[in-house]
Amino acid sequence: MKQSDFDKYEDSYVETVERSIQFSGLKHDFFQQAKQKMLRQVIYKHFRGNEKLSLLDVGCGVGSLHPYIKELVHSIVGVDISHQSIKRAKLNNSDNRYFSYDGERLPFEANKFNIVMAVCVMHHVHPDKWSFFLSEMSRVTQENGLVVVIEHNPLNPLTKFAVSRCPFDVDATLLSARRVSKL
Ligand SMILES: C[S@@+](CC[C@H](N)C(=O)[O-])C[C@H]1O[C@@H](n2cnc3c(N)ncnc32)[C@H](O)[C@@H]1O
Protein backbone atom coordinates (compact mmCIF):
# COMPACT_ATOMS: atom_id res chain seq x y z
CA MET A 1 0.00 0.00 0.00
CA LYS A 2 1.29 3.43 -0.92
CA GLN A 3 0.85 6.16 1.64
CA SER A 4 -1.79 8.00 -0.38
CA ASP A 5 -4.01 5.12 -1.51
CA PHE A 6 -6.86 6.18 0.79
CA ASP A 7 -6.31 9.92 0.30
CA LYS A 8 -8.66 10.01 -2.66
CA TYR A 9 -11.53 8.54 -0.60
CA GLU A 10 -11.50 11.43 1.87
CA ASP A 11 -14.87 12.69 0.57
CA SER A 12 -16.37 9.40 -0.56
CA TYR A 13 -15.27 6.67 1.87
CA VAL A 14 -18.75 5.80 3.19
CA GLU A 15 -20.36 5.98 -0.28
CA THR A 16 -17.66 3.69 -1.72
CA VAL A 17 -18.22 1.12 1.04
CA GLU A 18 -22.00 1.36 0.51
CA ARG A 19 -21.65 0.63 -3.20
CA SER A 20 -19.69 -2.55 -2.48
CA ILE A 21 -22.28 -3.83 0.05
CA GLN A 22 -25.35 -2.62 -1.85
CA PHE A 23 -26.31 -6.21 -2.81
CA SER A 24 -26.92 -7.00 0.89
CA GLY A 25 -29.59 -4.30 1.20
CA LEU A 26 -27.75 -3.03 4.30
CA LYS A 27 -26.23 0.38 4.87
CA HIS A 28 -22.82 1.27 6.29
CA ASP A 29 -24.63 2.34 9.48
CA PHE A 30 -25.76 -1.25 10.10
CA PHE A 31 -22.16 -2.48 10.20
CA GLN A 32 -21.01 0.45 12.34
CA GLN A 33 -23.80 -0.33 14.84
CA ALA A 34 -22.74 -3.98 14.88
CA LYS A 35 -19.11 -3.02 15.58
CA GLN A 36 -20.22 -0.64 18.32
CA LYS A 37 -22.29 -3.38 19.96
CA MET A 38 -19.43 -5.86 19.83
CA LEU A 39 -16.95 -3.31 21.18
CA ARG A 40 -19.33 -2.39 24.00
CA GLN A 41 -19.51 -6.04 25.06
CA VAL A 42 -15.76 -6.65 24.80
CA ILE A 43 -14.91 -3.45 26.68
CA TYR A 44 -17.43 -4.14 29.44
CA LYS A 45 -16.25 -7.73 29.83
CA HIS A 46 -12.63 -6.65 30.12
CA PHE A 47 -12.80 -3.42 32.13
CA ARG A 48 -16.07 -3.76 34.06
CA GLY A 49 -17.14 -0.12 34.14
CA ASN A 50 -13.84 1.79 34.37
CA GLU A 51 -15.08 5.20 33.17
CA LYS A 52 -11.78 6.75 32.11
CA LEU A 53 -10.66 4.55 29.27
CA SER A 54 -8.34 5.87 26.58
CA LEU A 55 -8.60 4.39 23.09
CA LEU A 56 -6.19 4.51 20.16
CA ASP A 57 -7.66 3.67 16.74
CA VAL A 58 -4.87 2.60 14.36
CA GLY A 59 -5.86 3.12 10.72
CA CYS A 60 -8.88 5.18 11.76
CA GLY A 61 -9.51 6.53 8.23
CA VAL A 62 -12.00 9.40 8.23
CA GLY A 63 -13.09 8.46 11.78
CA SER A 64 -16.49 7.20 10.66
CA LEU A 65 -16.75 4.75 13.58
CA HIS A 66 -15.94 7.35 16.23
CA PRO A 67 -19.39 8.95 16.65
CA TYR A 68 -20.72 5.44 17.36
CA ILE A 69 -18.17 4.61 20.07
CA LYS A 70 -17.59 7.96 21.76
CA GLU A 71 -19.89 7.02 24.67
CA LEU A 72 -17.87 3.87 25.36
CA VAL A 73 -14.58 5.55 26.30
CA HIS A 74 -13.18 8.73 27.85
CA SER A 75 -10.88 9.72 24.98
CA ILE A 76 -10.22 8.72 21.37
CA VAL A 77 -6.98 9.21 19.45
CA GLY A 78 -6.77 8.17 15.78
CA VAL A 79 -3.77 7.58 13.52
CA ASP A 80 -3.59 6.74 9.84
CA ILE A 81 -1.12 6.78 6.95
CA SER A 82 -3.60 8.79 4.84
CA HIS A 83 -3.07 12.50 5.53
CA GLN A 84 -6.32 13.41 3.76
CA SER A 85 -8.35 10.93 5.80
CA ILE A 86 -6.84 12.35 9.00
CA LYS A 87 -7.78 15.88 7.92
CA ARG A 88 -11.35 14.71 7.36
CA ALA A 89 -11.45 12.76 10.65
CA LYS A 90 -10.51 15.98 12.49
CA LEU A 91 -13.30 17.90 10.77
CA ASN A 92 -15.82 15.15 11.52
CA ASN A 93 -14.86 14.62 15.18
CA SER A 94 -13.56 17.80 16.79
CA ASP A 95 -13.40 16.28 20.31
CA ASN A 96 -10.80 13.67 19.33
CA ARG A 97 -7.10 13.96 18.44
CA TYR A 98 -5.76 12.67 15.13
CA PHE A 99 -2.28 12.20 13.67
CA SER A 100 -0.90 10.89 10.42
CA TYR A 101 2.21 8.68 10.55
CA ASP A 102 4.30 6.48 8.26
CA GLY A 103 2.62 3.15 9.10
CA GLU A 104 5.71 1.83 10.89
CA ARG A 105 6.43 2.77 14.52
CA LEU A 106 3.39 4.26 16.25
CA PRO A 107 4.15 7.83 17.39
CA PHE A 108 3.41 7.16 21.08
CA GLU A 109 5.31 6.05 24.16
CA ALA A 110 4.91 2.52 25.48
CA ASN A 111 1.99 1.58 27.77
CA LYS A 112 -0.09 4.65 26.90
CA PHE A 113 -3.61 3.49 26.03
CA ASN A 114 -6.15 1.19 27.70
CA ILE A 115 -7.49 0.03 24.33
CA VAL A 116 -5.70 -0.09 20.99
CA MET A 117 -7.79 -1.19 18.04
CA ALA A 118 -7.48 -1.62 14.28
CA VAL A 119 -10.72 -1.95 12.32
CA CYS A 120 -10.48 -3.37 8.79
CA VAL A 121 -6.85 -2.25 8.52
CA MET A 122 -4.68 -5.37 8.72
CA HIS A 123 -5.83 -6.73 5.35
CA HIS A 124 -4.20 -3.61 3.82
CA VAL A 125 -0.91 -4.22 5.62
CA HIS A 126 1.58 -6.48 3.84
CA PRO A 127 1.55 -9.95 5.52
CA ASP A 128 5.32 -9.64 6.15
CA LYS A 129 4.48 -6.69 8.40
CA TRP A 130 1.53 -8.15 10.32
CA SER A 131 3.64 -9.28 13.22
CA PHE A 132 5.38 -5.89 13.57
CA PHE A 133 2.06 -4.05 13.18
CA LEU A 134 0.57 -6.01 16.10
CA SER A 135 3.70 -5.70 18.21
CA GLU A 136 3.46 -1.92 17.83
CA MET A 137 -0.19 -2.01 18.90
CA SER A 138 0.82 -4.12 21.87
CA ARG A 139 3.74 -1.85 22.80
CA VAL A 140 1.51 1.23 23.25
CA THR A 141 -1.16 -0.71 25.17
CA GLN A 142 -1.10 -0.52 28.97
CA GLU A 143 -0.55 -3.62 31.02
CA ASN A 144 -3.98 -5.25 31.47
CA GLY A 145 -5.19 -3.29 28.46
CA LEU A 146 -6.87 -4.60 25.37
CA VAL A 147 -5.73 -4.96 21.75
CA VAL A 148 -8.75 -5.29 19.44
CA VAL A 149 -8.58 -6.33 15.79
CA ILE A 150 -11.73 -6.32 13.69
CA GLU A 151 -11.35 -7.87 10.25
CA HIS A 152 -13.42 -9.13 7.32
CA ASN A 153 -14.19 -12.81 7.79
CA PRO A 154 -12.44 -14.68 4.94
CA LEU A 155 -14.66 -17.73 5.58
CA ASN A 156 -17.83 -15.81 4.68
CA PRO A 157 -18.50 -15.91 0.90
CA LEU A 158 -20.64 -12.75 1.06
CA THR A 159 -17.82 -10.87 2.75
CA LYS A 160 -15.44 -12.04 0.04
CA PHE A 161 -17.94 -10.87 -2.59
CA ALA A 162 -18.17 -7.41 -0.99
CA VAL A 163 -14.37 -7.19 -0.82
CA SER A 164 -14.10 -8.13 -4.51
CA ARG A 165 -16.43 -5.21 -5.37
CA CYS A 166 -14.61 -2.61 -3.30
CA PRO A 167 -12.04 -0.57 -5.27
CA PHE A 168 -9.78 0.10 -2.30
CA ASP A 169 -9.65 -3.61 -1.41
CA VAL A 170 -7.75 -4.61 -4.55
CA ASP A 171 -4.59 -5.14 -2.48
CA ALA A 172 -6.39 -6.88 0.40
CA THR A 173 -5.02 -10.07 1.96
CA LEU A 174 -7.80 -11.31 4.23
CA LEU A 175 -6.81 -12.97 7.48
CA SER A 176 -8.81 -15.20 9.77
CA ALA A 177 -9.51 -14.70 13.48
CA ARG A 178 -7.31 -17.73 14.14
CA ARG A 179 -4.43 -16.15 12.24
CA VAL A 180 -4.79 -12.86 14.12
CA SER A 181 -4.88 -14.69 17.47
CA LYS A 182 -1.78 -16.67 16.58
CA LEU A 183 0.08 -13.52 15.56
C1 LIG B 1 -10.78 0.15 5.05
S1 LIG B 1 -10.10 1.57 5.82
C2 LIG B 1 -10.75 1.42 7.46
C3 LIG B 1 -10.86 2.76 8.13
C4 LIG B 1 -11.47 2.72 9.55
N1 LIG B 1 -10.71 1.85 10.42
C5 LIG B 1 -12.90 2.30 9.50
O1 LIG B 1 -13.21 1.17 9.93
O2 LIG B 1 -13.74 3.10 9.05
C6 LIG B 1 -8.40 1.11 6.04
C7 LIG B 1 -7.54 2.23 6.61
O3 LIG B 1 -6.28 1.68 6.99
C8 LIG B 1 -5.29 2.64 6.71
N2 LIG B 1 -3.98 1.95 6.71
C9 LIG B 1 -3.47 1.10 5.80
N3 LIG B 1 -2.26 0.65 6.18
C10 LIG B 1 -2.01 1.21 7.40
C11 LIG B 1 -0.94 1.15 8.34
N4 LIG B 1 0.15 0.40 8.13
N5 LIG B 1 -1.01 1.87 9.47
C12 LIG B 1 -2.11 2.63 9.71
N6 LIG B 1 -3.16 2.76 8.87
C13 LIG B 1 -3.11 2.05 7.73
C14 LIG B 1 -5.73 3.24 5.39
O4 LIG B 1 -5.12 4.48 5.11
C15 LIG B 1 -7.23 3.34 5.62
O5 LIG B 1 -7.61 4.58 6.16
Side-chain angles (χ1 to χ4, degrees):
M1 142 139 323
K2 296 186 293 305
Q3 180 139 340
S4 60
D5 276 2
F6 272 83
D7 281 354
K8 59 177 176 284
Y9 296 102
E10 172 208 355
D11 289 325
S12 58
Y13 177 75
V14 171
E15 293 74 14
T16 307
V17 172
E18 288 202 325
R19 272 198 296 279
S20 68
I21 56 176
Q22 204 172 15
F23 68 91
S24 70
L26 299 166
K27 305 291 264 180
H28 186 240
D29 174 72
F30 171 87
F31 295 96
Q32 300 296 68
Q33 297 279 6
K35 285 172 194 152
Q36 188 257 34
K37 200 169 159 196
M38 195 268 285
L39 278 168
R40 178 185 294 279
Q41 285 168 357
V42 168
I43 289 172
Y44 184 75
K45 193 171 164 205
H46 193 83
F47 295 102
R48 299 273 167 202
N50 177 351
E51 298 294 320
K52 292 265 178 198
L53 296 174
S54 56
L55 179 144
L56 172 67
D57 186 4
V58 182
C60 64
V62 296
S64 64
L65 185 58
H66 297 169
Y68 293 84
I69 62 168
K70 67 177 180 193
E71 309 303 339
L72 303 183
V73 291
H74 178 66
S75 64
I76 297 177
V77 176
V79 288
D80 202 288
I81 58 172
S82 162
H83 302 288
Q84 292 305 117
S85 299
I86 285 296
K87 267 169 68 182
R88 177 60 54 154
K90 282 180 185 164
L91 286 174
N92 291 349
N93 306 281
S94 55
D95 289 346
N96 305 336
R97 287 184 303 131
Y98 294 96
F99 307 93
S100 46
Y101 82 121
D102 62 7
E104 298 288 331
R105 191 177 161 84
L106 287 166
F108 305 103
E109 73 228 36
N111 307 313
K112 188 167 173 63
F113 300 95
N114 298 112
I115 304 162
V116 179
M117 71 173 190
V119 181
C120 301
V121 179
M122 279 193 72
H123 58 267
H124 294 293
V125 176
H126 193 281
D128 291 350
K129 300 222 162 164
W130 282 345
S131 183
F132 178 75
F133 183 84
L134 286 172
S135 72
E136 270 301 283
M137 290 179 70
S138 170
R139 180 182 65 78
V140 300
T141 307
Q142 287 178 12
E143 209 173 316
N144 302 319
L146 197 59
V147 172
V148 179
V149 175
I150 298 179
E151 272 299 319
H152 297 315
N153 178 4
L155 302 177
N156 183 335
L158 292 177
T159 305
K160 282 167 77 175
F161 183 57
V163 167
S164 74
R165 291 162 54 94
C166 187
F168 53 67
D169 278 340
V170 283
D171 69 338
T173 306
L174 299 188
L175 66 168
S176 64
R178 184 193 289 202
R179 184 78 198 267
V180 176
S181 303
K182 252 183 145 180
L183 282 162

